[in-house]
């Protein structure tokens, strides 16, 4: 039985936000979730900044009016490092939780002082990311590694169950730095798609490192901003659903969503108004 309250909206460009959703479920089992994938805009890493911001603001205009979520978790680094401020400004009554590269915890934990941030090309070039490094990691050597392929590889892996290991190996290779007898010891997974590939990353890495996945921390942050209520007082049987901006998720995606406890209602599959891009 789920509490009869407004849903918590979890947003990403594709399946990556599911890595955050699964942690939120563990912490908030009585809540109803609405997962939204802007799959028509995937990959976000390749977008021009002004266009992507405008797209997200327009999309959230529709989503908030229709679904009235209690909070929104932007479970996407590429979207958060760009659009969080614009979304908060456009919709001041909705609390937004963002996902940004875990540079601070990496800087606190590294022993070698060599940290790599693995992200989409969009996240790597953001001023927001540079500011995080300047604020928290001045004592470290931070290498930013932009990957054009990994988010797509993670999508394929989650849909088809298959991934080219050599492709993963090639994408993560620049993260591994040896300098003055020291080696990279932490790789920040700064794209929510990447934790799905972490076993392949471990297998193909030239040496063992700590792969930092911020999903649990994001879920805890979301929990901390929700008002405390007595869940036993809850009413209706809320069903968790997933929406896709393409309006046309394939069979493998619908199956995957089912595995994550999300229904993809037919009437919602085509519910989006056309967006730019
Ligand atoms: N999952 C997204 C992130 O955390 C990016 C995937 C994409 O390129 O759209 O950055």
């Amino acid at each position: 039985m789920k509490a009869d309250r407004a849903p918590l909206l979890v947003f990403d460009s594709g399946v990556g936000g599911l890595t955050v959703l699964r942690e939120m479920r563990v912490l908030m089992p009585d809540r109803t979730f609405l997962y939204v994938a802007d799959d028509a805009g995937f990959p976000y890493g390749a977008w021009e900044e002004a266009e992507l911001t405008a797209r997200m603001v327009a999309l959230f205009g529709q989503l908030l009016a229709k679904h009235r979520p209690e909070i929104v978790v932007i479970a996407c680094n590429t979207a958060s490092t760009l659009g969080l401020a614009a979304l908060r400004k456009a919709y001041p009554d909705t609390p937004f939780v963002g996902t940004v590269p875990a540079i601070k915890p990496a800087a606190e934990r590294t022993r070698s002082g060599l940290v790599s941030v693995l992200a989409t090309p969009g996240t790597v070039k953001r001023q927001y990311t540079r500011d995080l490094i300047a604020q928290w990691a001045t004592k470290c050597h931070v290498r930013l590694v932009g990957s054009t392929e990994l988010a797509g590889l993670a999508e394929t892996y989650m849909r088809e169950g298959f991934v080219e290991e050599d492709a993963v190996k090639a994408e993560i290779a620049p993260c591994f730095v040896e300098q003055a007898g020291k080696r990279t010891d932490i790789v920040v997974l700064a794209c929510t798609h990447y934790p799905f590939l972490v076993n392949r990353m471990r297998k193909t890495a030239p040496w063992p490192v700590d792969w930092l996945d911020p999903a649990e921390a994001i879920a805890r942050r979301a929990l901390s901003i929700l008002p405390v209520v007595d869940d036993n007082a809850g009413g209706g049987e809320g069903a968790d659903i997933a929406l896709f901006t393409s309006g046309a998720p394939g069979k493998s995606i619908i199956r995957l969503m089912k595995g994550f406890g999300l229904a993809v209602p037919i009437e919602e599959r085509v519910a989006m108004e056309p967006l730019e891009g």
Side-chain angles (χ1 to χ4, degrees):
M1 186 78 96
K2 297 227 189 193
D4 195 12
R5 295 200 299 270
L8 312 184
L9 195 160
V10 180
F11 176 79
D12 184 33
S13 56
V15 303
L18 295 171
T19 59
V20 177
L21 176 83
R22 65 185 172 188
E23 298 295 335
M24 291 178 72
R25 277 252 180 74
V26 172
L27 294 180
M28 296 164 255
D30 298 311
R31 300 307 304 250
T32 301
F33 293 93
L34 166 62
Y35 187 78
V36 179
D38 185 9
D39 61 333
F42 182 87
Y44 268 13
W47 278 72
E48 289 298 326
E49 298 196 340
E51 281 81 353
L52 184 55
T53 306
R55 178 183 179 86
M56 289 194 292
V57 170
L59 175 58
F60 272 94
Q62 293 184 42
L63 290 170
L64 299 183
K66 185 156 185 215
H67 301 283
R68 309 208 166 276
E70 190 165 346
I71 61 166
V72 172
V73 174
I74 305 289
C76 175
N77 294 260
T78 315
S80 299
T81 51
L82 176 69
L84 211 46
L87 288 169
R88 286 180 175 143
K89 190 161 175 238
Y91 309 110
D93 296 334
T94 303
F96 285 88
V97 175
T99 306
V100 300
I103 287 164
K104 182 173 182 246
E108 285 164 357
R109 276 182 227 176
T110 179
R111 279 186 284 184
S112 69
L114 300 182
V115 168
S116 290
V117 176
L118 185 59
T120 66
T123 299
V124 160
K125 68 171 193 236
R126 301 271 189 264
Q127 188 57 42
Y128 196 114
T129 305
R130 313 269 157 165
D131 291 347
L132 284 176
I133 295 169
Q135 194 175 357
W136 305 112
T138 42
K139 294 207 175 86
C140 305
H141 176 272
V142 180
R143 172 171 286 190
L144 291 169
V145 178
S147 166
T148 51
E149 307 300 324
L150 277 174
L153 289 169
E155 288 277 331
T156 309
Y157 177 58
M158 294 309 284
R159 288 161 203 245
E160 322 294 341
F162 171 81
V163 67
E164 270 310 330
E165 267 176 18
D166 284 347
V168 174
K169 188 177 179 179
E171 291 298 297
I172 66 168
C175 293
F176 292 83
V177 179
E178 283 189 287
Q179 206 171 274
K182 292 188 170 165
R183 286 173 156 185
T184 304
D185 63 353
I186 298 190
V187 176
V188 177
L189 298 176
C191 168
T192 51
H193 279 71
Y194 299 172
F196 285 133
L197 294 177
V198 77
N199 286 336
R200 294 307 199 294
M201 292 178 180
R202 271 194 200 104
K203 191 173 165 196
T204 57
W207 60 80
V209 291
D210 191 0
W211 304 91
L212 241 177
D213 172 6
E216 190 196 335
I218 307 302
R220 289 203 180 277
R221 170 78 191 130
L223 178 64
S224 76
I225 67 162
L226 285 169
V228 178
V229 289
D230 176 8
D231 277 323
N232 293 326
E237 188 92 12
D240 294 348
I241 63 169
L243 305 183
F244 293 83
T245 55
S246 67
K251 275 196 186 133
S252 59
I253 273 288
I254 293 171
R255 207 179 132 71
L256 174 68
M257 293 296 142
K258 202 172 162 193
F260 275 84
L262 297 160
V264 186
I266 290 167
E267 69 279 12
E268 296 286 4
R269 281 182 213 165
V270 287
M272 297 284 166
E273 280 167 31
L275 290 157
E276 293 295 306

